[in-house]
Each structure stands twice: as C-alpha cells, then as structure tokens.
Amino acid sequence: MASASCVTRNHIDLWNERFLGEGPVPISFGIVLRGSLLPVIIWLVVLVFGCVIYGPVVAVVIGGLFVALFLAGFVFRRRSGHSIKCSFYGAVGGVLDKSMLGL
C-alpha cells in the first residue's frame, strides 16, 4: 500500500461521513476522535461507572480490554503493510467503531 494514500478516509469510516471532503484526504487524530465522539463517551461512561460502583479494579480491566483490542487492530494493520500512523488511527477508529455494533 502506498504511504501517500494510507492515512485517508478509506481506512476510517467516520460517523455520517460529514467530517471529511469528497475524496481521499489526510486526516488528523482530532478528526478521528471527533468522528467517534459517541463511542468515546460510552467507553468513558462505562469506565467511570465501573470505577465508582465496583472499584478501580474494574476500571483497569475495562481499560485493559480497550488496550488489548487496540493492539490487536494495530498489529493486523501493520502486518498488512500499513504505515505506523495509519495503523494507529485505524486501530483507534476500529475499536471505537466495532464497540458500537450492538447499539
């Protein structure tokens, strides 16, 4: 995969596709987070709720789950030839996107 087109809208499907232009364009990490605001809020609410109700051990487990899913996505993207930046953005976007499948 060419590194020039690696960090594009083709790798991160943003909510409602209203944050990017028509064609493949480079994006920043802020746009990834802004496009995934709902899943970020849900992860944080579950994390805080688990910490307040059950204690910090649950928050560590939930945070560990997020990190494990992130690392799996990062490794899969690196093995398929993506750049480090593209793999990072894609892994974050992938975890946030896939965590919303049930909603």
Side-chain angles (χ1 to χ4, degrees):
M1 172 160 292
S3 61
S5 64
C6 196
V7 182
T8 64
R9 69 180 292 145
N10 299 328
H11 295 281
I12 300 170
D13 187 17
L14 296 176
W15 294 77
N16 298 330
E17 297 181 11
R18 63 178 174 214
F19 295 106
L20 298 175
E22 285 298 317
V25 294
I27 60 171
S28 68
F29 188 64
I31 292 175
V32 173
L33 291 180
R34 188 174 65 185
S36 303
L37 195 56
L38 180 62
V40 167
I41 290 171
I42 289 175
W43 272 94
L44 289 176
V45 166
V46 169
L47 188 70
V48 169
F49 181 74
C51 185
V52 168
I53 300 299
Y54 297 108
V57 174
V58 173
V60 170
V61 170
I62 293 170
L65 176 65
F66 183 86
V67 169
L69 293 172
F70 167 79
L71 289 175
F74 184 82
V75 168
F76 288 141
R77 283 171 178 79
R78 286 296 292 157
R79 285 188 179 166
S80 65
H82 296 281
S83 68
I84 292 175
K85 185 177 180 182
C86 177
S87 298
F88 178 76
Y89 287 5
V92 171
V95 170
L96 295 174
D97 179 45
K98 299 302 184 253
S99 66
M100 297 302 294
L101 283 177
L103 297 178

